[in-house]
Amino acid sequence: MTQIRGVYAALLAPRNEYGAIDTDSLRRQFDLPERESMTGYAVNGATGEFTYATPDELALTLKMARAVAPSSRILVGIGAGDVRGAVLRGKIAAYHGAQAVLLPMPSFFPYRQDDLRAFSMAVADAVPIPVLLYNLPQFTSGLEVDTVLSLLRSHDNIVGIKDSGGSLDIVRAMTVEKVSGTRIIGNDSALCPAMEEGVCDGVVSGVACALPELMTELFASKPGSKNYELNKELLKEFIEHLNPLPTPWGLKVASEVRGFTRASYPFPLSAERVSEIASLQTWFADWAKQVVSTKVGKAA
């Protein structure tokens, strides 16, 4: 049974003015502050805008990851519209030494739970490394509790779930039913409730790509402690400021302010979006200085 625990920073996939992967920005993300406190990185998930990425771009990303962070644990999103596309990405991940893959359900077309079960079983049969189901109901057909429990019980290569839906129903059920499998929270807003209920083993955090200091300290804190409550409120405040922008645009703004990546967007920005981004930049520049200086001072 593969155990996947701790904090994984969900990395952005910055692009240059020609639409190609911005390799300089990408490389810098593998040297985030607090990297020693993180378990590893997750690439090609929702934060990495996996719907845009080609198999060649995924291979490039993973090749770079192994070059600059050879000992880091890597989780790899293998989202695709069919089994062939997911398996191809899963084999690329395995070739480059990923610890496990994250399997989103197919997007665009709505599917029933029996369809999702058949899809997941077929991919898990063909991918040579462990598979975490990736529940992303905002963008794909959502997984129901019984479907997840059935898959975990029936396929040895399906080893857990990364649940980004915001609900704790699936990880609660895994805990109550004592179903073996890793419980990873993929929605930063759901992390604190999951920690407080004791129903998570780790987090794949988009916030960690911009504020790794906050997320590693929060996850290491005991729920109810003074430090935990402080970090919980900081996380809530940050997420509230991200919410007006589409996922993951707010994280792009924050990452650029901190000098980790250069922000890029998939199409031209409207005047309203330019204004919203400018407001977030101004607020975050001051707010982050206070948050980061507090964490660094405490660590020292």
Side-chain angles (χ1 to χ4, degrees), residues 78 80 82-92 103 122-124 126-128:
I78 58 170
D82 63 357
V83 169
R84 289 182 303 170
V87 170
L88 172 60
R89 288 161 176 80
K91 290 181 176 179
I92 291 170
L103 177 63
V123 175
V127 171

Side-chain angles (χ1 to χ4, degrees), residues 15-294:
R15 293 178 178 271
N16 62 27
E17 60 270 29
Y18 304 106
I21 296 293
D22 183 340
T23 53
D24 288 338
S25 283
L26 180 63
R27 184 180 291 108
R28 287 198 295 272
Q29 289 184 98
F30 290 101
D31 195 28
L32 290 172
E34 299 301 312
R35 61 190 179 278
E36 297 87 358
S37 300
M38 291 190 297
T39 305
Y41 306 94
V43 302
N44 205 48
T47 303
E49 299 170 296
F50 71 86
T51 57
Y52 309 153
T54 67
D56 286 345
E57 289 172 336
L58 176 58
L60 172 64
T61 297
L62 293 174
K63 183 177 180 180
M64 178 173 293
R66 283 298 163 230
V68 300
S71 61
S72 293
R73 293 189 167 196
I74 308 289
L75 304 178
V76 180
I78 58 170
D82 63 357
V83 169
R84 289 182 303 170
V87 170
L88 172 60
R89 288 161 176 80
K91 290 181 176 179
I92 291 170
Y95 178 80
H96 289 281
Q99 181 187 14
V101 298
L102 307 172
L103 177 63
M105 298 303 101
S107 61
F108 188 74
F109 297 109
Y111 294 103
R112 296 188 323 213
Q113 294 300 297
D114 57 314
D115 298 322
L116 303 183
R117 189 177 189 279
F119 171 79
S120 300
M121 294 281 283
V123 175
D125 283 342
V127 171
I129 57 176
V131 173
L132 286 167
L133 302 172
Y134 184 179
N135 191 34
L136 198 61
Q138 298 92 330
F139 309 114
T140 69
S141 296
L143 287 161
E144 295 178 1
V145 170
D146 288 346
T147 304
V148 173
L149 298 185
S150 172
L151 286 166
L152 289 170
R153 286 171 171 147
S154 60
H155 204 300
D156 290 342
N157 201 35
I158 298 177
V159 301
I161 189 166
K162 173 185 180 279
D163 197 335
S164 298
S167 167
L168 300 183
D169 289 348
I170 291 174
V171 291
R172 283 183 187 132
M174 290 173 62
T175 306
V176 170
E177 297 288 331
K178 297 182 179 179
V179 174
S180 181
T182 296
R183 303 159 303 172
I184 299 294
I185 301 301
N187 183 319
D188 285 297
S189 295
L191 176 60
C192 289
M195 290 179 64
E196 290 160 14
E197 291 189 30
V199 294
C200 77
D201 301 302
V203 59
V204 171
S205 169
V207 171
C209 79
L211 285 169
E213 303 93 339
L214 174 63
M215 297 310 297
T216 53
E217 188 175 303
L218 173 63
F219 191 78
S221 301
K222 182 178 180 180
S225 67
K226 182 177 179 180
N227 195 45
Y228 172 86
E229 294 299 329
L230 171 61
N231 288 318
K232 177 181 177 179
E233 289 304 310
L234 290 171
L235 175 60
K236 179 181 177 182
E237 184 179 5
F238 180 58
I239 290 173
E240 286 174 349
H241 279 81
L242 298 184
N243 282 339
L245 293 170
T247 303
W249 291 15
L251 293 172
K252 295 182 180 191
V253 173
S255 179
E256 183 174 60
V257 168
R258 294 205 65 189
F260 300 154
T261 59
R262 186 178 66 171
S264 58
Y265 303 96
F267 46 80
L269 300 175
S270 68
E272 292 83 357
R273 289 301 190 197
V274 170
S275 177
E276 289 171 343
I277 287 171
S279 295
L280 179 57
Q281 288 171 329
T282 300
W283 171 81
F284 182 72
D286 291 334
W287 184 83
K289 286 179 183 177
Q290 299 176 39
V291 171
V292 172
S293 64
T294 299

